[in-house]
Amino acid sequence: MPLKELLDKNKEWAEKVRAEDPQFFKRLSGLQAPKYLWIGCSDSRVPANQITGLMPGEVFVHRNIANVVVHTDLNCLSTIQFAVDVLKVEHILVVGHYGCGGVHAALTGTRVGLADNWLRHVGDVARKHEALLAEVDLESLRHARLCELNVVEQVVNVCETTIVMDAWARGQKVSVHGWVYSLLDGRVRELGMGVDDPQELPEAYALAMKHIRGRLKDEA
């Protein structure tokens, strides 16, 4: 039975961890103090801890289809608020991934069901950057470009939340970053979208647009 297999694997994992580090779970059950909040896609191929090489307890995670941040989504906003105000994370990582099915559906107008309403937010990004997407002939490359553009716009949305703006106003150290993960090689690409205070947002946005247009070399 599949669930029995999961329980067996959990037992094996727990025993292996205890054998390697007898105090691991005791430490883990203590105070949670991650430095990072990961806002990523629900895609099962994009696990935050494995990609970053972080252990349990080192990254706080929120995931949804196509890594969207909406100002009316109390689930996402509550996660950001808890991470910033309570856990005092220092970095918020908005992480998309190439080959995202939600982004592709928004790009091509493919109906997937109830989630179509959620993906309207990605469709708004596509409409905003219609000219930039039109520069690319191949659909697979337009898809990749929209994955990048979507991350940039969601970083802007995070920066403009009252949560992050208030944190910056009181001098709290928190920065917001835009990344894209590749399923083909397991590497994360930075988009030049790193923001430490509201004054940096316009310049970071312009730099990200240059990255996306391919004017700057990919240093990943």
Side-chain angles (χ1 to χ4, degrees), residues 46-218:
V46 191
N49 286 79
Q50 287 91 330
I51 288 172
T52 55
L54 295 175
M55 297 294 291
E58 294 184 321
V59 57
F60 202 57
V61 177
H62 175 83
R63 298 171 71 175
N64 61 52
I65 298 173
N67 45 273
V68 172
V69 177
V70 185
H71 295 296
T72 54
D73 179 7
L74 294 182
N75 186 350
C76 182
L77 294 182
S78 296
T79 302
I80 296 173
Q81 186 271 325
F82 192 88
V84 172
D85 294 348
V86 179
L87 299 178
K88 306 297 183 183
V89 299
E90 297 178 6
H91 302 278
I92 300 175
L93 312 171
V94 180
V95 187
H97 67 98
Y98 297 116
C100 179
V103 172
H104 187 262
L107 176 67
T108 60
T110 303
R111 294 291 302 274
V112 298
L114 180 63
D116 295 336
N117 299 281
W118 179 254
L119 295 173
R120 284 282 302 276
H121 298 294
V122 184
D124 290 341
V125 174
R127 282 185 288 276
K128 178 178 180 179
H129 295 285
E130 184 176 3
L132 191 56
L133 291 170
E135 295 176 1
V136 184
D137 293 329
L138 196 62
E139 182 180 300
S140 61
L141 295 180
R142 283 199 305 276
H143 182 195
R145 179 166 282 192
L146 183 55
C147 290
E148 296 171 345
L149 290 167
N150 184 51
V151 167
V152 171
E153 295 299 337
Q154 305 317 318
V155 168
V156 173
N157 289 345
V158 171
C159 291
E160 292 181 345
T161 61
T162 56
I163 304 154
V164 174
M165 294 296 287
D166 288 349
W168 283 335
R170 62 178 176 261
Q172 184 173 338
K173 181 181 177 182
V174 58
S175 56
V176 188
H177 312 268
W179 291 358
V180 181
Y181 172 72
S182 173
L183 297 169
L184 296 177
D185 62 8
R187 296 291 303 278
V188 169
R189 272 73 174 175
E190 293 183 284
L191 296 176
M193 194 68 178
V195 187
D196 296 313
D197 62 63
Q199 287 73 35
E200 292 182 0
L201 184 55
E203 182 179 351
Y205 188 89
L207 180 61
M209 291 300 106
K210 288 182 179 180
H211 271 287
I212 290 172
R213 287 190 175 96
R215 292 180 182 174
L216 296 180
K217 293 182 179 180
D218 182 4

